[in-house]
Amino acid sequence: MLGSYDFCGHYEWTFEWLRQRGGEPLVVKYWDEGIYQDSQRHATNLIAPLGFEGMARYWDHTLVEEGALFSAVKGPDFFRIDMTDCPSKGFLIRNGLVQYHDYCDHCMGWIDPLMRDAGFGIDHEHNHQGQCWWEFRKTGVPGAPSAPGETTPGDVRLRPDWDGGNVQRFERER
């Protein structure tokens, strides 16, 4: 049986293997079908019916179990996660494992279709150094994501090393 850290290296290798055989569309298809629609059905079963409460139940349990360093906050009209140390990306960095060009994209690859189907939009940034933030709001709710530090003192954007990586941003439709 593979340990969770061993899994990360195989996971990343699989993304690159798929890309070489079918390009980025095959990788995106895998994230949608293999992760969102298959291995993460339990996330859908919590988030779709329970909304922000389902998000809190899913991520509070999952991220603790994975050993992530994070903070999460549930407000009346949003759910936010700030990841200060992603265990899987951190494992890849510490061990010099670089196969797929953007391992971090796999999270958006399965979380975005889940959220769209459940009626939520995402504002998200990651810096390719094991740090990211997510804000989820119901589809059609106007407004920008919170300003740094506005919703949580654990806001990853306040870290001095936040801009040390290549920050990639995703914005929900407003």
Side-chain angles (χ1 to χ4, degrees):
M1 176 187 221
L2 288 175
S4 62
Y5 288 120
D6 295 323
F7 174 78
C8 299
H10 290 282
Y11 210 33
E12 189 213 20
W13 179 88
T14 299
F15 301 160
E16 180 58 20
W17 185 86
L18 290 167
R19 188 195 64 74
Q20 288 179 13
R21 275 139 190 85
E24 293 299 325
L26 184 59
V27 178
V28 171
K29 182 177 179 182
Y30 174 76
W31 293 338
D32 180 28
E33 293 178 8
I35 302 174
Y36 161 49
Q37 295 181 44
D38 185 25
S39 73
Q40 295 300 313
R41 282 180 296 196
H42 58 287
T44 302
N45 292 340
L46 281 172
I47 295 168
L50 300 176
F52 298 131
E53 179 59 29
M55 292 177 207
R57 288 184 193 182
Y58 174 75
W59 274 297
D60 285 348
H61 165 75
T62 302
L63 294 175
V64 166
E65 194 171 278
E66 291 177 354
L69 296 179
F70 74 100
S71 62
V73 62
K74 180 174 60 112
D77 61 349
F78 72 93
F79 184 77
R80 181 178 173 93
I81 300 169
D82 285 273
M83 178 86 65
T84 55
D85 187 11
C86 173
S88 58
K89 181 62 178 177
F91 173 83
L92 298 174
I93 291 169
R94 283 189 306 278
N95 290 284
L97 299 175
V98 180
Q99 298 296 318
Y100 187 69
H101 65 93
D102 193 347
Y103 179 81
C104 298
D105 270 353
H106 85 275
C107 288
M108 279 298 289
W110 73 268
I111 295 170
D112 184 49
L114 183 160
M115 290 299 167
R116 275 188 281 114
D117 289 350
F120 294 92
I122 304 170
D123 286 296
H124 165 72
E125 285 183 324
H126 60 262
N127 71 356
H128 301 95
Q129 299 299 311
Q131 301 167 344
C132 63
W133 64 269
W134 303 78
E135 277 191 23
F136 306 96
R137 297 182 190 281
K138 290 188 183 234
T139 303
V141 173
S146 63
E150 181 180 345
T151 60
T152 175
D155 193 320
V156 72
R157 297 171 293 179
L158 299 175
R159 293 176 54 97
D161 58 350
W162 170 248
D163 287 329
N166 174 20
V167 176
Q168 188 171 357
R169 178 159 179 76
F170 298 87
E171 293 185 14
R172 66 186 166 91
E173 294 179 23
R174 290 182 172 64

